[in-house]
Amino acid sequence: MGKTLAFEEPIVKLREKITELEQFTKDSEVDLSDEIETLKTRLKNLEEDIYGNMETWDRVQVARHQYRPTTLDYIEALFEDFIQLHGDRTFGDDAAIVGGIASFNSLPITIIGHQRGKDTKENVKRNFGMPHPEGYRKALRLMKQAEKFNRPIICFIDTKGAYPGKAAEERGQSEAIARNLVEMAGLTVPVISIVIGEGGSGGALALGVANHIHMLEHSTYSVISPEGAASILWKDASLSKQAAEAMRITAPHLKEMGIIDEIIPEILGGAHRNPKEQASRIGEAIHRSLDELTRLSKDELIQNRYDKFREIGVFAE
């Protein structure tokens, strides 16, 4: 499960009390089964209350959970015959973005996604899920390949943002992201993007110009991290909780504003509590999207994508 988040502490303490009583009953002749059942009922109600009324910052913490399922976890659970492809054919291979070809319910598809690590060693290898420009160029190469062979594209978004280092800027980070935005807008195959964790800034949007955009219930999608926004607005990163509230970065907020198409419900407590069941829920959403989008012609797919983004936001003359 990983670390306990602050808002989960009452749940953890009650679970520990139940375990303690169960062990005491097992080691002695005292029957505490009624008390244990009462506590289990109280635990169920407490979980439903806490997880059902999560604040924005609580959702941010769940989206960042160390053991939250990643792109490769979902690929293993959802797709068959996955073949990972590497390199951008220009500079190198970026481990922060993974991609390749696979089949989904016997339909050939292309999968692309951000990939972070679950421990220090893997995070260093994956650059903490923050891609360099070669990662985005690899993604674009796979998208154009998918278009050539008429394969739908499924993107998993999970990054704090594109890597802002000097080397990345020297190799054209901004151009690589902008190129993806332009090219994705004109792809003639269905594109489905799913935010599975954090969706940060242009680093996320470079995989987010899609016909359908879905979000897991406790994921986030924003132009900047709450800490970054707080640093800019109030010169104090410790006000990140207030910034998160003001930015409206959670799935319910974004669905209300028409930025995403569907919220995929999460397992009670977060996707990390049952990755297999969470993958099944994502699979259902992918199936619905593919069923709808594969009926559209190439021109209709492009128009659908164009109309979707033109309708986001409001303006006043």
Side-chain angles (χ1 to χ4, degrees):
M1 292 284 185
K3 63 181 181 181
T4 299
L5 303 176
F7 72 94
E8 296 178 303
E9 288 181 1
I11 296 173
V12 173
K13 289 180 180 178
L14 188 52
R15 282 190 187 134
E16 290 174 347
K17 183 63 176 179
I18 292 171
T19 300
E20 180 182 328
L21 290 180
E22 287 177 333
Q23 188 61 47
F24 180 79
T25 299
K26 185 178 180 180
D27 296 340
S28 68
E29 297 181 357
V30 179
D31 184 9
L32 298 174
S33 56
D34 290 342
E35 289 81 356
I36 291 171
E37 286 304 313
T38 299
L39 289 179
K40 285 183 177 180
T41 300
R42 187 187 304 174
L43 174 62
K44 181 180 178 182
N45 293 335
L46 183 64
E47 287 180 328
E48 290 176 351
D49 180 54
I50 290 178
Y51 291 131
N53 297 282
M54 292 168 62
E55 297 180 356
T56 296
W57 189 245
D58 298 332
R59 294 179 189 270
V60 171
Q61 298 306 302
V62 173
R64 294 173 172 176
H65 198 282
Q66 179 182 3
Y67 295 111
R68 192 167 177 83
T70 66
T71 294
L72 287 177
D73 291 328
Y74 288 128
I75 288 175
E76 181 179 357
L78 285 170
F79 307 103
E80 299 176 350
D81 305 320
F82 176 64
I83 301 174
Q84 187 172 172
L85 303 176
H86 300 271
D88 67 341
R89 301 298 187 265
T90 301
F91 179 82
D93 185 50
D94 186 352
I97 283 188
V98 296
I101 56 177
S103 61
F104 179 76
N105 295 337
S106 300
L107 176 69
I109 59 164
T110 288
I111 311 167
I112 304 164
H114 299 98
Q115 180 65 33
R116 57 178 175 78
K118 293 183 179 179
D119 55 38
T120 302
K121 182 178 180 180
E122 189 179 5
N123 268 317
V124 170
K125 174 184 176 182
R126 305 285 182 185
N127 199 36
F128 294 85
M130 297 186 292
H132 287 75
E134 50 269 23
Y136 294 114
R137 291 179 177 130
K138 172 170 68 173
L140 179 58
R141 178 174 78 85
L142 297 182
M143 290 176 195
K144 301 304 286 186
Q145 181 195 76
E147 185 177 46
K148 178 179 179 180
F149 293 102
N150 198 34
R151 290 194 296 260
I153 300 168
I154 298 173
C155 297
F156 291 103
I157 296 173
D158 186 15
T159 182
K160 297 178 183 296
Y163 184 61
K166 179 182 177 182
E169 296 298 341
E170 288 175 342
R171 295 199 296 274
Q173 184 71 288
S174 299
E175 187 277 336
I177 292 173
R179 176 71 61 183
N180 276 27
L181 303 185
V182 171
E183 297 290 349
M184 287 188 78
L187 290 170
T188 59
V189 295
V191 183
I192 303 165
S193 291
I194 305 168
V195 184
I196 59 174
E198 287 186 273
S201 192
L205 192 58
L207 297 185
V209 184
N211 296 97
H212 286 180
I213 302 174
H214 305 315
M215 285 181 70
L216 294 193
E217 184 180 359
H218 303 317
S219 57
T220 62
Y221 198 26
S222 63
V223 296
I224 192 172
S225 69
E227 292 85 353
S231 296
I232 293 172
L233 292 174
W234 304 305
K235 312 299 181 186
D236 186 355
S238 68
L239 298 176
S240 54
K241 183 176 181 179
Q242 292 90 317
E245 290 284 353
M247 291 165 65
R248 297 172 63 82
I249 62 177
T250 65
H253 289 142
L254 296 167
K255 182 69 168 67
E256 180 184 337
M257 292 186 285
I259 294 173
I260 66 170
D261 296 279
E262 181 180 344
I263 299 173
I264 302 174
E266 289 202 30
I267 302 301
L268 191 68
H272 57 283
R273 294 190 173 276
N274 193 335
K276 185 176 180 180
E277 173 60 26
Q278 191 62 58
S280 177
R281 297 183 183 187
I282 292 175
E284 291 170 3
I286 292 173
H287 178 77
R288 288 192 295 271
S289 285
L290 288 174
D291 186 55
E292 178 181 335
L293 295 174
T294 51
R295 300 171 188 268
L296 302 181
S297 67
K298 293 180 179 181
D299 290 339
E300 287 173 332
L301 285 167
I302 295 173
Q303 189 64 44
N304 170 278
R305 211 173 296 130
Y306 175 81
D307 292 341
K308 174 182 178 59
F309 282 88
R310 287 286 292 175
E311 291 171 3
I312 291 176
V314 296
F315 68 93
E317 295 183 357

